[in-house]
Amino acid sequence: MILQFGENVEGYTIPVLNEREVRAATGIMFLATFISLMLILFKGNFVPIKYVLIIFLTDFSIRLFVNPKFSPILVLGRLIVSNQNPEYVGAKQKKFAWYIGLVLSATMFVLMVIINSFSYITGIVCLICLILMFFETAFGICLGCKIYTIFNKEKAQYCPGEVCDLKAKQEIQKTSKIQLAVILIFIAFVLLTSILFNEKFKEKPHNLFETNKSEQIK
């Protein structure tokens, strides 16, 4: 079927999606958004983000109202991770999460593309988008899926990393007091370094090769 959300896979009682290709697609979207944001902050160039918003809004619309199989970014993600074993997740919670993405991208599209404006609203929405995408692509944590479990009485099935199923942590997953102490010591080290070398780090770097060249002339 063309108009369908999720795929029927043998052994699974509900439609599922391949979490690996979803994470790959999210990583692509995160990178595009981050680069566009950097161009705004350092170059004042708003053109790339407008193209990105159009692409995102179109892609989310295809995922939700046609079929995720025909989402261009998801197809690209599928090609990238095609040699990896699929990790199946429930389609329902992903659909809810993508509706959040659709609302956020539609809001940005109206404000930045149609109205051609920017404000603290666009800044906040952009930050939310980056956080959602970063958590999914870096940690495999779908924050939108977690919101789904809060507002939906029906328990989510087949979550990434099987986090929907209550189970005891394995030994390799446990964190000892020594490991926590290492984190605190590391933070203290970074803070101490910033205090001692902050002024030195503020100095503008010189061109190594120009320095060597000037010394040879002397």
Side-chain angles (χ1 to χ4, degrees):
M1 292 179 61
I2 295 178
L3 299 177
Q4 178 179 315
F5 193 91
E7 301 186 41
N8 297 314
V9 176
E10 185 177 353
Y12 292 85
T13 57
I14 60 172
V16 293
L17 296 167
N18 182 3
E19 174 67 8
R20 296 191 187 279
E21 68 183 53
V22 171
R23 286 182 66 181
T26 304
I28 295 170
M29 296 170 75
F30 174 83
L31 182 62
T33 306
F34 184 78
I35 292 174
S36 299
L37 180 60
M38 292 300 101
L39 289 172
I40 292 173
L41 293 176
F42 296 106
K43 297 289 185 179
N45 185 356
F46 286 84
V47 175
I49 192 64
K50 293 180 180 181
Y51 282 105
V52 167
L53 289 171
I54 293 171
I55 292 170
F56 282 11
L57 185 58
T58 304
D59 192 84
F60 275 124
S61 299
I62 294 172
R63 294 185 195 189
L64 292 166
F65 306 122
V66 182
N67 193 323
K69 289 173 63 175
F70 303 113
S71 153
I73 301 178
L74 280 174
V75 172
L76 184 57
R78 176 175 292 196
L79 290 171
I80 293 171
V81 299
S82 59
N83 291 327
Q84 300 179 15
N85 288 328
E87 179 185 357
Y88 295 115
V89 294
K92 282 187 177 181
Q93 58 263 36
K94 284 294 180 184
K95 188 173 187 178
F96 180 87
W98 288 346
Y99 266 116
I100 295 176
L102 179 70
V103 171
L104 293 175
S105 59
T107 302
M108 292 288 286
F109 175 80
V110 171
L111 293 174
M112 299 198 74
V113 179
I114 296 179
I115 300 178
N116 195 28
S117 67
F118 70 92
S119 65
Y120 67 89
I121 298 176
T122 54
I124 292 172
V125 174
C126 186
L127 179 61
I128 293 173
C129 291
L130 284 172
I131 292 173
L132 292 173
M133 291 187 290
F134 179 77
F135 265 75
E136 178 150 12
T137 189
F139 307 127
I141 299 175
C142 175
L143 295 179
C145 300
K146 290 188 174 294
I147 297 173
Y148 169 87
T149 59
I150 295 173
F151 292 100
N152 200 301
K153 294 181 180 180
E154 183 183 349
K155 182 183 175 183
Q157 300 181 58
Y158 309 119
C159 300
E162 300 178 1
V163 295
C164 297
D165 303 322
L166 294 176
K167 58 183 183 299
K169 289 185 178 180
Q170 297 182 29
E171 194 62 33
I172 197 171
Q173 295 176 295
K174 296 178 181 179
T175 306
S176 67
K177 292 181 180 179
I178 295 176
Q179 289 173 309
L180 294 175
V182 168
I183 294 177
L184 294 175
I185 293 171
F186 180 75
I187 293 172
F189 170 75
V190 173
L191 291 174
L192 181 62
T193 303
S194 65
I195 294 172
L196 295 176
F197 299 100
N198 186 49
E199 294 301 322
K200 181 67 177 177
F201 291 163
K202 286 182 179 178
E203 294 180 9
K204 185 178 180 180
H206 62 272
N207 188 311
L208 177 64
F209 297 103
E210 285 188 1
T211 302
N212 291 339
K213 185 177 180 180
S214 62
E215 288 178 354
Q216 289 176 1
I217 294 175
K218 290 180 181 180

